[in-house]
Amino acid sequence: MSRLQCLNLKLVIKQILTAGENKVQARLSANTRNFSKLSNWGTKKSATHVKIVNYHPETMADAQVEQILAPLREAVKKQGQVVRSMKESNAPDMEVKKAVGELKALKKQLDDKELALQPPSETFNRSKFADLMIRRFFYDQSFSIYGGIAGLYDFGPMGCALKSNILEQWKRFFILEEQMLEIDCSMLTPERVLETSGHVEKFADTMVKDKKTGECFRLDHLIKSRLETLIKDKKQTPEVKEECKDIIIKLDGMTTQQMSDIVNKFNMKSPTTGNDLSEPVDFNLMFATQIGPTGDQKGFLRPETAQGIFVNFKRLLEFNQGRLPFAAAQIGNAFRNEISPRSGLLRVREFTMAEIEHFCDPSDKSHSKFSDVESTVMRLYSACNQMDGQPPVDITIGQAVSKVKIIDYIRQIKYLIINTNIYCQGMVANQTLGYFMARIYMFMMKIGVNKEKLRFRQHMSNEMAHYAVDCWDAECLTSYGWVECIGCADRSAYDLTKHGEETKQRLVAERKLPAPKTIQVTELEMDKGLIGKTLRKDSKDFVEKLSKLSINGVKQLHEFIDNGKSDPTTGLTLCKIGDKEFQINKEMIPLKSYSKTIHVEEIVPNVIEPSFGIGRIIYTLLEHTFKIREKDEQRTYLSLPPLVAPLKCCVLPLLDNDKFTPLVSMLSKSLCLKGVSNKIDDSSGSVGRRYARTDEIAVPYCITVDFDSLVEPQSVTIRERDSMEQIRVPVADVVDLVYNLSQGNTIWNVAKAKYPIFESQQTNE
Amino acid sequence: MSRLQCLNLKLVIKQILTAGENKVQARLSANTRNFSKLSNWGTKKSATHVKIVNYHPETMADAQVEQILAPLREAVKKQGQVVRSMKESNAPDMEVKKAVGELKALKKQLDDKELALQPPSETFNRSKFADLMIRRFFYDQSFSIYGGIAGLYDFGPMGCALKSNILEQWKRFFILEEQMLEIDCSMLTPERVLETSGHVEKFADTMVKDKKTGECFRLDHLIKSRLETLIKDKKQTPEVKEECKDIIIKLDGMTTQQMSDIVNKFNMKSPTTGNDLSEPVDFNLMFATQIGPTGDQKGFLRPETAQGIFVNFKRLLEFNQGRLPFAAAQIGNAFRNEISPRSGLLRVREFTMAEIEHFCDPSDKSHSKFSDVESTVMRLYSACNQMDGQPPVDITIGQAVSKVKIIDYIRQIKYLIINTNIYCQGMVANQTLGYFMARIYMFMMKIGVNKEKLRFRQHMSNEMAHYAVDCWDAECLTSYGWVECIGCADRSAYDLTKHGEETKQRLVAERKLPAPKTIQVTELEMDKGLIGKTLRKDSKDFVEKLSKLSINGVKQLHEFIDNGKSDPTTGLTLCKIGDKEFQINKEMIPLKSYSKTIHVEEIVPNVIEPSFGIGRIIYTLLEHTFKIREKDEQRTYLSLPPLVAPLKCCVLPLLDNDKFTPLVSMLSKSLCLKGVSNKIDDSSGSVGRRYARTDEIAVPYCITVDFDSLVEPQSVTIRERDSMEQIRVPVADVVDLVYNLSQGNTIWNVAKAKYPIFESQQTNE
């Protein structure tokens, strides 16, 4: 099979070389605080075998592959001729039917072989996958007995356990290992907070309505879908088709007016009814509600978890004893009222996020643990390469962060076979950003994401918010194309600055100066005695209004008094402060200047934000680990790593026999005590059939209690899911072994070397 | 101190005997699907030392206690006389001030001693507690830099870690050990689902508005608070006071009209402005929103997580291969738009719940694991005892479930010293309910709830929903009185029946019949050929309408045709079906009867529902474990069990010295690898001061690296939080030891016996 592997490699190279042309490339933002419009993924919803990446028909034309397929093709062809001639000679119906049956069987053999020989990354059987997900209740549309609600999904027992395991690993990997401060904030958020963050004004998509039915469509989706139809339409001229293609490419950057013009130019109608469409309107994607009974406190469901961290910055800094850098994290749900949700778990209205905000000194974005990760090789797709039509490169994060020419390193890079003249001038903005990218990569590997289907794509300048310094999305390849699962952005001081301005709170940290500094300070020193004597009952109001003035405002007051007309008897001048006038003089509000030595200065920390879309990671992982058994297309399974598999183990009695019950239940209890999630499967059906059922829900290990288990020295069999291999293990060892296997403390091959292989039950499958 | 302990015990007995009179007893419903009105807790918000239970002044008058206090009292008295005579003799100011200072110091000594001698369960220093919670950011009001939103709280790093640990233990204790099916459903819920559950109609509180300002008040709170003021008012006659007391007692059961009459009778006004009040209106407690852009799909934020389980019942049963009983569980947030949230974490607008729905055969509510728990002794406060003014009893759950006289068991029960004539006629409705109550009790003990402050109170018949069979609340005693933390109810078949009726789905399970049964079946067998020929284009419509008829409906049609007038030429009769008339005869719609042997019957499962209010459990636990050091009132700490403590361990260098860094960081890393949450505290300050800081955040173990740690054989000290004892442990042992201590695999006393006690750093504290 080494020829096929080589072929596989060639495909990967091609895939990289052509990735720049990939039209269905996702531009999603789990981290959409930059409010970029979300583009469309592949839309062949009904497709059964979805092609992933670019499909290369020449693979099938390859000589060796063809050699294997040739006899099968020949057999199909022959049988086809048999059927044809039987029909021509009016053979009895029954006989024809039988021949057709044989033909079908042969064709299926050929199809299966073709599928088996095709590099596994090339096609994806989405209907089989969806069937497994729903049938074994990994997830399903919410409220499905009520007809379901678009964009809302429930995780069933297996999906929920998978999610829970991924989050547990996430907590260990980020919160525990990096000593982050995890917090848990309200989802209900008052309007003012989201006005400050910009969400009230800008977190919107443009939509049009069917004028008669009121049905809503996302404008960019509608245009794209209509133009794609035109491109496929044989009646259209090449000029029109070219124009359509051109518009689709430019669609993401268009203004509402430009899109509206296109709707008019092509006279677009409602795709479902053909009715006229309304003018485009902006639709805010946040769910609005009222907090409290009076109806005057508007709130929203948070569109992201990050704001909860920013508004708690002061307390968090205090908890960290005033020291920078530190990171806070939050796991929780966020909500977006998508206009037309689709693509299953990928675009939903309610979803779990895990967000990190790493606060650091803006003048020092180095990271103390960067050296631990600098040699990690990752696939980076820089903005520069995207614009030049160049492929991503595999490069160490150390190199990506450093500002040197990378030509010397190119030969070490696996897939990069052209463009030896690339320079890498600090491709990734700083060490901290690079550190988190590497950690994200390592985390994704740990939970089982396919390395070849993960890349980091840098935002191009038009995608980034104006305040962002640099932003990289971890994208995973799925049957819907490249999907953004994690955003990793350097957001500068934007969020803290905004909230600080709005609340008049000093959301700052102190930085020790390299040397003490002498500065000139001017302060207002109100003469409260004089103020009281002069203004009497107005004093309090005056002091309050004065406190809101800046030093410059007070200086202007002084100037006004110097230049204005004072009352000749009292010597006071009528001054307007805020919305009220007061009779005052300068003596009431003297300014005092003095010099002061300071040892620290205040800085607004910058923030590096890795933001994980947990639902998308789960979906990706399920797609990446979905497998079909080579010899039996009906048997599907999920090769999830034991660490995140929903259940670590099943305990099966070989037969429905009371003799097995005590040992089965003892083993299950002991596993529970060790914290190993497990299930007893004593349902009817052969053990092979039960193995197949456990494969479907990704159970990595099955312990089977058979007749040999009942005699001393007691032993059981352990079966591994991916290889379907079995070993025979003493009962005394089995719980610890499964615990260590499921925790990743040991691997199957080590266990296999230690215990005897067991084969006889294999035949049952 | 044994005398004091005995005294403590006496108090507990008194507390039990008087518990029936406890007026501030909480009637909260985390599980408020029975829509009972929530009554008020103690409201002394500003109180510093809050009395818990009934305060017994005689404690302080106790001879032994008085003996200890006497010299202190004498000293205070003496010094007071000194100060008085100095003032009389016009002594110099400075001297008087000094004497007053001494007096204050002596008084403080007396106060401290008094506090120290008072049984700890008797008073609670709520201001010190609140200070700790906010200062070390266990939790705080959400959006506090924006002024905060009532009823919304954020958990800071320590609160969040505590919550996370409690939920992890919950998952292990319930989901893993009981093999429950955990699911994770949407919070956004369409209106129809909540109409079916009854929430749209009935999940409301009655409120009145200030006619001028629009401020809203919960009507029952307003009445209670006004009447309490009247009771305290010296001008009121005893008759009025009696009437007020009587109303307060009856308030919970009153209708809106009755409450409205009271408002009018006592001429109640807005408590904040004195303005007139509006007529009472019902205010639905659910947060409403719109799902999707069209505005025609109304939704709510779920008020509980349970509905998500009910609507997924079919898939869950299927996942369990059709077998009963099984339990599903869900952890997640729910939302209630409280009219006037208060009491900190106890009454909030957004909160985390953990709910279990155990589905079982209505005719068999036994539990296979009941024998594992039947000897668990719990404090049960039956509806019967509540009505009779009797105290709760400590009783085994086995006895509470069984229908026997318990007189023989009374002598085994610790605190029950009167009422030897109690019978227990199936106090708890069934084994499954009893099993979960015992498991709830065990869980609460495991996470550290005070056993003496936990009781199970049965709902009285007027509190329960009509469909509920039995309902017990696990209540915890806090400074706000008894707070319902967990509800445990047998809800019969109510929820599945309702959703089944509304969706026309068969939300049922199959039960194997003891013996096959022959039943008579009648079916409609349409003659579609004849229908088509006769009705032609109307056929489809006819078949559709006919399908909606019941068998009885068809029988009525037959009768109508038999008795009606048929068209003499065609033989057809004009019949109205639905809203349309058709010319038909009986031959088109024959009924076929036959007998059939069935082996299973369909049943609607009953559901036992334990429902946990996680926020309330967290609050209770924090109150129960809040401690003040005996010798230093300024030093507060939390004696949380290691299993749930936010951080298991701190690693401290004795001094700020680079020599310690490698070992400190190695230990922290090794602990992380073992999954032991820990923190390095290398901040400035003496080690004693740093210990005090770790005590505040409930860190059970501190590892200190000192100079002895740097010489072979390397060793460090471990300090335990509650006892402040220290031991010296070899570096090679320390990580495993702290791991085992924090997991509850071993206890401090065992460790102390194994390693030498270390004392010298103690002096720093």
Side-chain angles (χ1 to χ4, degrees), chain A residues 61-81:
Chain A
D62 177 272
Q64 195 192 348
V65 170
E66 202 45 53
Q67 205 179 325
I68 300 167
L69 294 176
L72 293 169
R73 287 194 202 286
E74 188 58 24
V76 171
K77 198 176 161 189
K78 260 190 188 164
Q79 184 65 16
Q81 280 162 349

Side-chain angles (χ1 to χ4, degrees), chain A residues 667-686:
Chain A
L667 286 170
S668 172
K669 266 187 199 156
S670 308
L671 287 164
C672 280
L673 275 177
K674 269 261 176 190
V676 179
S677 60
N678 69 90
K679 190 183 157 182
I680 295 174
D681 186 354
D682 56 1
S683 61
S684 58
S686 72

Side-chain angles (χ1 to χ4, degrees), chain B residues 328-520:
Chain B
Q330 181 167 203
I331 299 170
N333 279 26
F335 302 80
R336 293 179 190 178
N337 203 358
E338 297 286 350
I339 293 167
S340 43
R342 47 176 154 173
S343 310
L345 285 187
L346 295 178
R347 169 104 37 97
V348 292
R349 286 174 167 155
E350 181 177 335
F351 48 93
T352 302
M353 302 182 86
E355 293 193 293
I356 295 166
E357 308 295 335
H358 177 95
F359 297 99
C360 61
D361 185 332
S363 65
D364 178 13
K365 295 185 181 177
S366 65
H367 196 287
S368 62
K369 286 158 80 181
F370 187 72
S371 59
D372 296 354
V373 303
E374 63 185 350
S375 59
T376 312
V377 177
M378 295 152 62
R379 185 162 300 165
L380 301 191
Y381 195 16
S382 69
C384 188
N385 279 24
Q386 290 169 65
M387 283 182 289
D388 294 347
Q390 298 295 331
V393 293
D394 286 14
I395 183 175
T396 68
I397 192 68
Q399 283 306 315
V401 170
S402 71
K403 293 181 198 285
V404 296
K405 192 174 168 186
I406 63 157
I407 190 156
D408 300 335
Y409 298 85
I410 282 175
R411 278 170 204 98
Q412 299 166 18
I413 297 165
K414 214 161 142 199
Y415 299 127
L416 190 75
I417 51 173
I418 55 160
N419 296 311
T420 46
N421 208 19
I422 293 171
Y423 288 75
C424 178
Q425 302 271 350
M427 199 193 281
V428 171
N430 57 62
Q431 273 193 2
T432 299
L433 193 61
Y435 178 76
F436 279 111
M437 286 166 65
R439 291 288 290 169
I440 287 168
Y441 175 84
M442 290 154 79
F443 173 72
M444 294 295 259
M445 290 305 104
K446 192 174 186 185
I447 63 169
V449 165
N450 185 335
K451 183 182 164 179
E452 298 301 329
K453 294 182 177 179
L454 172 65
R455 71 178 186 194
F456 286 78
R457 195 181 66 78
Q458 190 172 31
H459 278 207
M460 290 188 282
S461 51
N462 63 330
E463 293 175 81
M464 264 195 300
H466 63 91
Y467 49 79
V469 175
D470 193 8
C471 183
W472 290 80
D473 288 342
E475 295 183 336
C476 293
L477 186 60
T478 74
S479 65
Y480 292 99
W482 287 96
V483 171
E484 182 213 326
C485 290
I486 305 161
C488 193
D490 181 337
R491 300 176 51 74
S492 75
Y494 180 74
D495 309 277
L496 290 182
T497 307
K498 283 284 172 188
H499 285 296
E501 282 168 8
E502 176 64 20
T503 60
K504 311 272 181 259
Q505 302 268 339
R506 299 159 76 80
L507 303 185
V508 294
E510 283 185 346
R511 172 166 60 193
K512 205 177 167 186
L513 287 169
K517 204 161 86 178
T518 302
I519 55 165
Q520 206 59 26

Side-chain angles (χ1 to χ4, degrees), chain B residues 534-547:
Chain B
T534 316
L535 293 174
R536 295 179 185 269
K537 70 175 170 46
D538 288 340
S539 305
K540 204 184 148 203
D541 198 15
F542 173 74
V543 168
E544 220 166 71
K545 289 196 158 58
L546 198 69
S547 311

